[in-house]
Amino acid sequence: MQRNVYQPQHPIQRSANRARMLISCPDRPGIVAAVSQFLYEQGANIVSLDQYSIDPEGGMFFMRIEFDLRDLDQELPKLQEDFIRVADRFQMKWHIFRASRKKRIAIFVSKEDHCLLELLWQWQAGDLDAEIAMVISNHPDMRELVESFGIPYHHIPVTPETKAEAERQQLEKVHEGKVDLIVLARYMQILSPRFIEFFPNRIINIHHSFLPAFVGSKPYHQAYERGVKIIGATAHYVTEELDGGPIIEQDVQRVSHRDDVASLKRIGRNIERTVLARAVKWHLEDRIIVYQNKTVVFN
């Protein structure tokens, strides 16, 4: 039987000569002037600049710049080499990304499909500027759905006895697929510290925002029993500290005594799907700088 293969309907159009620069450094006078002057001397045209200072007196400074540079692919290596002098002068941590290069995503999922579907829909609509390289699951349930989008699906079962081998297979798949970002779309397994080491600040997870309250199974049942009035969701980068990584995005919605457990779950799913999609989108657009265990998000 012929299988439909979907492609983004309205892909984002972006200049092949556009780049993005993320900078963090101790705050002091002259940073913006130095970077702007450097880009001007390189023949670049700044099209967007956002900045933030924790404290102008001894704090940290963060900046995101988009610029166009003719013949970017040929000129970028020299620009990066020359920028080292500016970076060293201001003790900068910095990265430059080609805007035209789409990041490759691997989505990990278990049995719940709402977050996965949101990512697939936004990708299909052209709102998610990425290549979905694969979906990996510890269950076979989503295969037909995922493959209908023309995306490879890898079923890798996970049990306590096979967890190490399963992670080896997962890492093999994502490395073969040259994956830039892993998205845990309600993937109900804990990744090992060894796995996380391969993707620092490149694994995004989503969960309900009841934590640290209502830990464990059936959090919505626990929340209902306590009569909560606000529920929400949190998207964050994954670290070795369980659910303790830098927060990227959160959202909440008010509920009342009229909402039963099923209603709380439905509302929670809607928040989870939108919060995760926003976090993924901002990462893909190089809008996030991680500092200590926090994020600066230029959105």
Side-chain angles (χ1 to χ4, degrees):
M1 184 176 77
Q2 179 104 20
R3 174 164 52 88
N4 290 329
V5 177
Y6 294 96
Q7 292 297 328
Q9 297 172 350
H10 305 287
I12 296 172
Q13 300 297 320
R14 187 168 288 113
S15 168
N17 290 322
R18 180 156 300 179
R20 306 183 186 117
M21 180 183 291
L22 295 178
I23 295 171
S24 61
C25 62
D27 200 358
R28 54 177 280 196
I31 299 171
V32 176
V35 175
S36 300
Q37 180 66 25
F38 171 81
L39 291 175
Y40 167 74
E41 292 171 351
Q42 298 290 320
N45 179 43
I46 295 174
V47 296
S48 174
L49 190 155
D50 294 289
Q51 63 189 69
Y52 168 69
S53 175
I54 293 177
D55 184 350
E57 299 294 333
M60 287 293 293
F61 179 85
F62 306 91
M63 183 160 58
R64 178 184 185 270
I65 302 175
E66 287 198 23
F67 62 90
D68 290 335
L69 179 63
R70 181 175 296 179
D71 299 324
L72 179 68
D73 286 345
Q74 291 74 35
E75 298 297 328
L76 189 57
K78 180 179 183 301
L79 182 146
Q80 291 174 307
E81 182 179 351
D82 291 345
F83 188 71
I84 292 174
R85 295 194 301 273
V86 178
D88 288 347
R89 176 183 167 194
F90 291 94
Q91 299 175 273
M92 292 177 177
K93 292 183 179 179
W94 59 283
H95 301 278
I96 297 180
F97 307 91
R98 292 180 176 87
S100 61
R101 180 192 175 276
K102 292 188 176 185
K103 293 180 176 61
R104 293 174 59 80
I105 301 177
I107 303 174
F108 282 37
V109 66
S110 290
K111 287 190 173 183
E112 295 190 54
D113 64 1
H114 56 288
C115 289
L116 170 66
L117 279 169
E118 184 68 28
L119 295 171
L120 294 177
W121 289 334
Q122 290 205 18
W123 171 79
Q124 181 188 346
D127 296 331
L128 208 61
D129 191 25
E131 295 180 12
I132 301 180
M134 66 190 70
V135 172
I136 294 177
S137 179
N138 54 327
H139 296 282
D141 304 52
M142 307 296 176
R143 180 183 296 278
E144 184 176 354
L145 165 67
V146 171
E147 291 184 344
S148 73
F149 284 82
I151 297 170
Y153 186 89
H154 304 295
H155 172 217
I156 302 177
V158 180
T159 67
E161 295 75 26
T162 64
K163 185 175 180 63
E165 172 60 19
E167 283 201 346
R168 186 195 67 77
Q169 294 179 38
Q170 291 167 346
L171 284 169
E172 183 178 276
K173 294 293 184 185
V174 295
H175 287 320
E176 286 177 356
K178 298 180 179 178
V179 166
D180 301 294
L181 174 69
I182 293 174
V183 182
L184 306 184
R186 298 295 290 160
Y187 179 65
M188 307 307 290
Q189 296 288 327
I190 298 174
L191 300 180
S192 70
R194 178 178 176 274
F195 190 107
I196 295 169
E197 284 179 0
F198 285 100
F199 293 88
N201 297 326
R202 291 192 293 141
I203 306 174
I204 297 178
N205 187 32
I206 184 72
H207 59 71
H208 62 78
S209 288
F210 297 135
L211 297 175
F214 312 145
V215 176
S217 63
K218 298 185 176 180
Y220 287 99
H221 289 77
Q222 299 177 55
Y224 176 75
E225 292 298 327
R226 286 294 304 276
V228 300
K229 299 298 184 280
I230 295 177
I231 64 174
T234 295
H236 64 92
Y237 287 119
V238 175
T239 63
E240 291 186 24
E241 181 183 356
L242 182 62
D243 295 328
I247 293 172
I248 303 169
E249 172 64 337
Q250 295 177 297
D251 205 350
V252 296
Q253 182 172 327
R254 294 197 66 83
V255 295
S256 76
H257 59 276
R258 294 183 176 87
D259 293 300
D260 58 15
V261 173
S263 178
L264 295 181
K265 286 183 176 180
R266 175 182 55 77
I267 295 169
R269 286 195 296 267
N270 286 337
I271 303 172
E272 287 174 2
R273 67 202 300 166
T274 56
V275 167
L276 179 61
R278 284 199 295 262
V280 171
K281 180 178 176 65
W282 294 338
H283 180 98
L284 296 174
E285 295 175 355
D286 306 308
R287 296 184 179 276
I288 306 170
I289 298 177
V290 176
Y291 174 66
Q292 295 180 349
N293 199 45
K294 297 181 179 180
T295 62
V296 175
V297 183
F298 293 108
N299 54 19

